[in-house]
Amino acid sequence: MSSQKIQRLLEPPNVSAAHRSALEYFNSNFAHIDNLNGIDQALSQTKARSAELQRQLSASQQSIDSLITKTRVAALANLDTARGLAEDRESIENEMTYLSYELVSSLSPSKSEANPTLLEDIETMHRILKELESVRAYVAVIERTLTLSEGALAQLRATSSPLSKSSTSEYSRLSAFVSDVGRACESVQDIGSSEQSLHLVAFVRRIRDKTWLDIKEIFSTKLNGVLENLQWPMAVDYPAASVHDRKSFESAFKDLILLQEIGDTIEGSTNQGSQGLYPLETLAHAISLRFKYHFETDRETNRLDKPEWYLSHIMNVALDHRPFMDKVIQRLLLGTKYQYVNAWQNYITLLVPILERKLRRTVPTLLSHPALLAHTVYQALIFDSSMRELGYEFVVGTEAKKTEEKGGVSSVILCQKEWFDAWLEGEKKFAEDQYHEIISSPDAWVIVDDDSNDSDEHKLSRSMAEVKATNSARRIKALVEQVTDRYSPLPSFAHRTRFLIHIQLPILEQYYSRVSSSLDAFETLSSALVRAVPGALGVEGPKTDSRKLTGGVEGSQRLCKALLSARYVESAMQRWGEEEFFLELWTEINNQAALRSRAEMHPSLPNSADYQASKSDVPNCTIFEELITQYTKLASRAEDILVSQVCGETESALKPHFVAITSPKDGSDAQNTDDGIAVPPSLLPSIALLSAHLTFLRNTLPTAVTTQVYRRIATLISEHILQREVLFRPGLTRGQFRTGLSREQARSVHAESELWAETCQVALRTSRARAEGPWARLLVAGRLLGARRQEVDRAVKEVLGGQGDGWEDALDVATSLGSGGLGKEEVKTVLRLRDDL
């Protein structure tokens, strides 16, 4: 029943509708009065029906009330049930959400902190089970390996001397088992288990290796017990030992040799990081323990500043034990597989790692102490050189071969780029400090002539400026040679080249710049601008007089310092370039492309292409050729300035004399010398100045340099005098109406020329012939003018009238100098100046 119908039934009765229905009933049934007879019956029927309807209404009302009550009770019950179902639904939804969350894998990115699912737990358990099965197999392999290892050791401990191959049968089984394990693991294709198998193989191999080392230790212990009776590691007096001790030693020694021979036939038993024979390893082990006690503990012998102590210790050990190795150990090796092994060489090879280990531990602490680091490297190089002199050849490792090393304990430092660079930088800093100390020394530019401390080799080479030089040049030479001594023991040419380029060449370049700058300053101070404008070009101060700095003997002294310094260093480099060390270095630089390219980039090293006839030829120059050229030019520049300085001052001093001899009062104030020849007083200042310069040069410069400078100075001055006083003398005319020199003037020219030569002879303390050489042109002209007529008649005839070459012979008779360098036309000019022609 629908709710609308129920609502309709519950509505109250409609009275009007009832009245209307009743009216319609009466109208239909009692339409006429005659029909009223049946009204009573209808009324009774209606009453009966009304009573029945009332009864039905009561029954229906009761039924409705009962139904409503039941419905309310059912509704309340259903409501309670619905509430319970809602709660059950919510609970079910929560449980479903939880279960769905639990089904998400722990490997999911959205569930980083969740627990694994049941499936994952099951998978993990299966994986662990497999791993445990693998571990059980691995443990079984390891157990088997350890059992065989213990059996091998037990077998060797129970073995008596002499040793045989059957004594190592258990170890052979162990080695074979390890090989089988390795082959089995190599066949595994699974990547995950392959890595584990490799670890297993490495582990069982370590057990095998450890077993062999323990076997060696068993026999080494026996040998050590015998060595104590021989007072090892002291020098062994083998003949003085008892027969029992010698037999015991030889038996233990041979057992170890046999063990090594047997090990050569068993895989994995030999060369376990060993470089030598097993018995010698035992002997070296005692040395190593003693070394550790003295040089790797807190004892006073362990000092960073005394690397020579532990190096000399190993050196002494090598020397003390050499007779024992050569006479006893070498004899014991006869008849064995190792009879061609040099026992002493092999023994030293086992001692070298002791020093290498010490250096690896020591050098890092020395990097902050350049002086100690340099001392350590130098001592290591000396040790290597000493060992090579004894005939030992170091074993060259792979790392050392990359740097072309010859091995040695020094390679521990030299092969480490950081350590070598630190040493190189320390040496460079030391050299630079020494250079600046030399240059800034108060006596740096004092010229000395002290050969008392020179070696015999040096004294034989007097070409080195005859050991005359400034203190700075001498000290620079000593500094460069000191650096050479520091790196000459280096076995690598690459390392030698770095020392040459980074230390020695900069020192020579800086000294060149220093001397060159002094010449620049001298030229600046002596320039006409500075003399005319005081304070110009950096010459400040009203009291500064550049003439005092550059003029006179003081100026010559400054130039001589530069000249001697440049010549001395130049001669030193020439001698260095011819030494075997630098010749070998230069050859290797040209032969190795890497070194050659580095040398070509340095401006102070010669370009080998400029000194080669062809690309295959060796350059015909030395390693210092470029610097020698620069220093040669520097010395020539100093010499040119010196010559120019002396000539300029002398010519300036001659100006008053030239004015005086061309004045109308020429000769009126002349003084007569003892031989009656007049000499003008105006000439004396210039002669005195030249004499002072030459005397200083003689006392300062070497003889060869003095002679060279003198010839240039005298030649220029004589030419200047010849031109100004003779050939182009003012006031003279030539031709048909010529006016020549008077007799007094001619004699004066002659006297002056002789006086110049004599003054130079006295100043230089040399022979007359040597002194006259540069003055020959002036002397010939003077003698031709001052000679008597009969003395020059033949010369006049030959020069003025002759057609052949006899005029030179005629001049030689008249002047004793021949033509002196004068041309025939110049001789004619001179002769025509005579007043008697």
Side-chain angles (χ1 to χ4, degrees):
M1 184 178 291
S2 64
S3 61
Q4 294 179 355
K5 188 176 182 182
I6 292 174
Q7 293 241 358
R8 190 170 67 250
L9 290 175
L10 290 176
E11 291 179 355
N14 192 342
V15 178
S16 61
H19 287 170
R20 219 176 19 252
S21 177
L23 180 60
E24 289 177 355
Y25 180 77
F26 277 105
N27 290 333
S28 63
N29 289 313
F30 302 100
H32 196 268
I33 193 166
D34 292 334
N35 294 333
L36 291 173
N37 293 327
I39 193 170
D40 291 333
Q41 185 181 356
L43 180 62
S44 58
Q45 290 178 351
T46 301
K47 287 182 179 180
R49 187 179 176 190
S50 176
E52 182 63 25
L53 289 174
Q54 190 65 35
R55 183 186 62 75
Q56 289 181 356
L57 178 59
S58 299
S60 177
Q61 188 66 39
Q62 290 178 357
S63 176
I64 288 171
D65 292 340
S66 175
L67 182 60
I68 289 173
T69 302
K70 290 181 180 180
T71 300
R72 287 179 176 175
V73 172
L76 292 173
N78 289 334
L79 182 60
D80 292 338
T81 301
R83 290 175 178 172
L85 290 175
E87 292 177 355
D88 291 343
R89 177 187 175 188
E90 183 178 359
S91 176
I92 290 171
E93 288 180 351
N94 292 337
E95 186 174 358
M96 289 179 66
T97 302
Y98 173 75
L99 291 176
S100 63
Y101 182 78
E102 289 294 320
L103 290 176
V104 178
S105 173
S106 60
L107 303 177
S108 175
S110 61
K111 191 180 179 185
S112 58
E113 299 180 357
N115 295 325
T117 63
L118 177 61
L119 179 60
E120 290 175 342
D121 288 339
I122 294 173
E123 291 176 349
T124 301
M125 291 179 182
H126 276 285
R127 186 167 58 254
I128 292 174
L129 181 60
K130 289 182 179 179
E131 291 178 354
L132 290 176
E133 290 176 354
S134 299
V135 169
R136 184 177 65 178
Y138 295 161
V139 170
V141 172
I142 294 173
E143 180 185 12
R144 175 65 175 168
T145 305
L146 292 174
T147 301
L148 292 174
S149 174
E150 293 175 356
L153 292 174
Q155 183 184 28
L156 268 297
R157 288 191 183 97
T159 300
S160 58
S161 184
L163 187 66
S164 62
K165 190 171 184 179
S166 60
S167 303
T168 59
S169 59
E170 289 296 322
Y171 180 81
S172 299
R173 291 177 58 195
L174 171 62
S175 180
F177 178 74
V178 172
S179 299
D180 293 340
V181 172
R183 285 190 293 270
C185 291
E186 288 175 359
S187 64
V188 176
Q189 300 297 327
D190 188 292
I191 297 178
S193 61
S194 177
E195 184 178 356
Q196 297 178 2
S197 299
L198 292 175
H199 287 304
L200 175 64
V201 172
F203 182 75
V204 296
R205 285 175 178 172
R206 285 198 298 271
I207 294 176
R208 179 196 62 190
D209 297 343
K210 180 64 168 57
T211 302
W212 186 256
L213 293 177
D214 291 341
I215 292 173
K216 284 174 56 180
E217 185 63 26
I218 293 173
F219 291 93
S220 296
T221 303
K222 295 180 181 179
L223 181 59
N224 280 327
V226 178
L227 288 175
E228 292 180 358
N229 297 331
L230 297 178
Q231 303 299 319
W232 185 267
M234 303 296 291
V236 178
D237 188 1
Y238 197 71
S242 64
V243 176
H244 178 266
D245 291 341
R246 284 185 289 179
K247 288 184 177 180
S248 300
F249 169 75
E250 293 176 3
S251 175
F253 186 92
K254 290 180 179 179
D255 283 344
L256 273 173
I257 289 294
L258 290 173
L259 178 66
Q260 189 166 4
E261 289 181 351
I262 294 171
D264 288 341
T265 62
I266 303 176
E267 181 182 359
S269 61
T270 61
N271 298 325
Q272 303 288 334
S274 172
Q275 295 180 337
L277 302 177
Y278 289 172
L280 299 184
E281 288 181 2
T282 303
L283 298 178
H285 181 67
I287 305 297
S288 177
L289 294 177
R290 191 175 187 183
F291 185 91
K292 288 181 179 179
Y293 174 75
H294 287 289
F295 304 108
E296 296 183 4
T297 60
D298 295 333
R299 294 182 60 83
E300 295 180 356
T301 51
N302 183 18
R303 292 176 54 178
L304 292 177
D305 60 334
K306 295 295 182 181
E308 60 270 22
W309 286 1
Y310 57 79
L311 292 169
S312 60
H313 172 73
I314 296 298
M315 175 69 71
N316 293 334
V317 168
L319 293 174
D320 292 343
H321 293 165
R322 185 163 192 172
F324 179 68
M325 292 293 161
D326 293 341
K327 297 178 181 179
V328 179
I329 303 301
Q330 198 67 51
R331 176 178 56 82
L332 294 177
L333 293 178
L334 295 177
T336 67
K337 181 181 178 181
Y338 312 105
Q339 60 182 342
Y340 298 109
V341 175
N342 188 305
W344 184 77
Q345 290 271 351
N346 197 268
Y347 176 64
I348 301 304
T349 302
L350 296 172
L351 296 181
V352 168
I354 300 175
L355 295 175
E356 293 178 346
R357 181 183 68 243
K358 174 65 176 177
L359 288 175
R360 289 191 181 95
R361 294 178 179 177
T362 303
V363 171
T365 62
L366 299 178
L367 295 179
S368 57
H369 302 82
L372 294 181
L373 177 63
H375 180 60
T376 301
V377 176
Y378 186 64
Q379 292 297 326
L381 291 171
I382 291 178
F383 175 84
D384 292 345
S385 299
S386 300
M387 292 304 299
R388 292 188 181 96
E389 291 176 359
L390 292 176
Y392 176 72
E393 293 296 333
F394 288 96
V395 178
V396 182
T398 304
E399 187 175 344
K401 288 181 179 179
K402 295 179 181 179
T403 56
E404 303 176 0
E405 290 287 350
K406 298 180 181 179
V409 297
S410 60
S411 63
V412 174
I413 303 174
L414 302 180
C415 290
Q416 290 285 342
K417 185 178 184 303
E418 179 184 356
W419 295 355
F420 178 80
D421 290 344
W423 174 45
L424 180 63
E425 189 62 29
E427 291 286 352
K428 182 178 181 180
K429 180 65 167 56
F430 173 77
E432 288 177 349
D433 292 343
Q434 289 291 308
Y435 170 79
H436 292 300
E437 182 179 348
I438 290 171
I439 294 300
S440 59
S441 175
D443 62 343
W445 304 104
V446 175
I447 300 174
V448 293
D449 183 13
D450 182 12
D451 59 350
S452 58
N453 296 324
D454 290 334
S455 62
D456 293 338
E457 180 183 357
H458 185 202
K459 290 179 180 179
L460 292 175
S461 178
R462 303 294 290 186
S463 62
M464 278 195 61
E466 294 187 355
V467 301
K468 271 189 177 182
T470 59
N471 281 326
S472 62
R474 288 180 172 277
R475 293 166 185 169
I476 289 295
K477 171 180 172 290
L479 176 60
V480 174
E481 290 178 343
Q482 180 183 0
V483 175
T484 302
D485 292 339
R486 300 289 288 181
Y487 78 88
S488 58
L490 286 174
S492 171
F493 290 102
H495 291 158
R496 295 182 185 180
T497 304
R498 291 191 63 185
F499 262 84
L500 173 71
I501 293 177
H502 288 83
I503 299 180
Q504 287 185 308
L505 295 184
I507 292 175
L508 296 172
E509 291 170 351
Q510 292 178 47
Y511 192 67
Y512 171 85
S513 300
R514 179 66 178 83
V515 177
S516 179
S517 63
S518 68
L519 293 180
D520 294 339
F522 186 92
E523 288 182 323
T524 301
L525 292 174
S526 60
S527 67
L529 177 61
V530 173
R531 291 195 298 267
V533 185
L537 300 178
V539 183
E540 300 178 355
K543 297 182 179 179
T544 302
D545 187 357
S546 61
R547 287 176 295 181
K548 293 183 178 179
L549 298 176
T550 61
V553 175
E554 184 176 353
S556 298
Q557 183 180 18
R558 294 177 183 275
L559 294 171
C560 287
K561 292 176 181 179
L563 173 60
L564 287 177
S565 299
R567 283 283 177 88
Y568 189 82
V569 177
E570 173 197 348
S571 300
M573 288 190 293
Q574 289 176 347
R575 187 170 61 87
W576 295 335
E578 299 296 334
E579 291 178 356
E580 181 182 357
F581 173 78
F582 286 107
L583 289 174
E584 185 180 14
L585 177 59
W586 183 232
T587 301
E588 290 298 326
I589 288 176
N590 287 281
N591 291 337
Q592 299 182 24
L595 298 182
R596 185 169 60 253
S597 61
R598 180 180 298 180
E600 290 173 352
M601 295 173 60
H602 200 283
S604 293
L605 287 176
N607 187 353
S608 56
D610 298 338
Y611 298 90
Q612 287 178 316
S614 64
K615 293 185 177 179
S616 60
D617 293 340
V618 177
N620 55 351
C621 63
T622 64
I623 198 169
F624 295 104
E625 196 71 31
E626 185 65 28
L627 280 173
I628 291 174
T629 302
Q630 296 178 15
Y631 271 87
T632 300
K633 293 179 180 178
L634 183 64
S636 299
R637 180 188 173 194
E639 184 177 316
D640 292 342
I641 298 175
L642 177 61
V643 172
S644 176
Q645 178 76 7
V646 176
C647 291
E649 291 185 356
T650 305
E651 290 172 3
S652 297
L654 279 171
K655 289 180 180 179
H657 173 65
F658 292 147
V659 173
I661 63 176
T662 57
S663 65
K665 297 180 180 180
D666 179 22
S668 61
D669 56 349
Q671 297 178 356
N672 292 328
T673 58
D674 294 338
D675 57 358
I677 301 176
V679 177
S682 57
L683 182 64
L684 299 180
S686 57
I687 290 181
L689 179 61
L690 179 61
S691 176
H693 278 295
L694 293 180
T695 302
F696 171 76
L697 294 179
R698 174 180 58 80
N699 294 330
T700 304
L701 298 178
T703 303
V705 179
T706 302
T707 302
Q708 179 179 349
V709 172
Y710 163 69
R711 286 174 179 171
R712 295 184 59 188
I713 293 173
T715 300
L716 292 174
I717 294 176
S718 67
E719 187 66 23
H720 178 74
I721 296 173
L722 178 64
Q723 299 292 329
R724 291 292 305 276
E725 195 169 350
V726 179
L727 297 180
F728 302 99
R729 182 168 178 159
L732 299 181
T733 60
R734 294 165 177 81
Q736 184 179 1
F737 303 101
R738 61 183 178 86
T739 57
L741 297 176
S742 64
R743 182 58 181 165
E744 290 75 13
Q745 288 176 330
R747 294 182 62 196
S748 177
V749 171
H750 182 202
E752 289 177 17
S753 64
E754 298 292 343
L755 182 59
W756 283 110
E758 184 178 355
T759 300
C760 294
Q761 178 187 1
V762 174
L764 295 176
R765 295 182 182 176
T766 184
S767 64
R768 181 70 178 183
R770 288 179 178 272
E772 288 180 349
W775 300 93
R777 285 169 58 86
L778 180 61
L779 287 172
V780 169
R783 290 177 183 178
L784 289 176
L785 292 173
R788 291 189 295 271
R789 175 60 187 270
Q790 58 270 25
E791 295 176 354
V792 296
D793 276 344
R794 180 187 172 190
V796 171
K797 292 178 182 179
E798 291 289 341
V799 173
L800 298 180
Q803 300 296 326
D805 296 332
W807 64 276
E808 292 187 359
D809 295 335
L811 287 181
D812 186 59
V813 174
T815 64
S816 302
L817 292 174
S819 65
L822 290 174
K824 190 172 184 179
E825 293 299 323
E826 291 177 324
V827 175
K828 290 180 180 180
T829 301
V830 172
L831 291 176
R832 286 173 180 149
L833 292 177
R834 292 177 60 96
D835 59 355
D836 53 358
L837 292 182

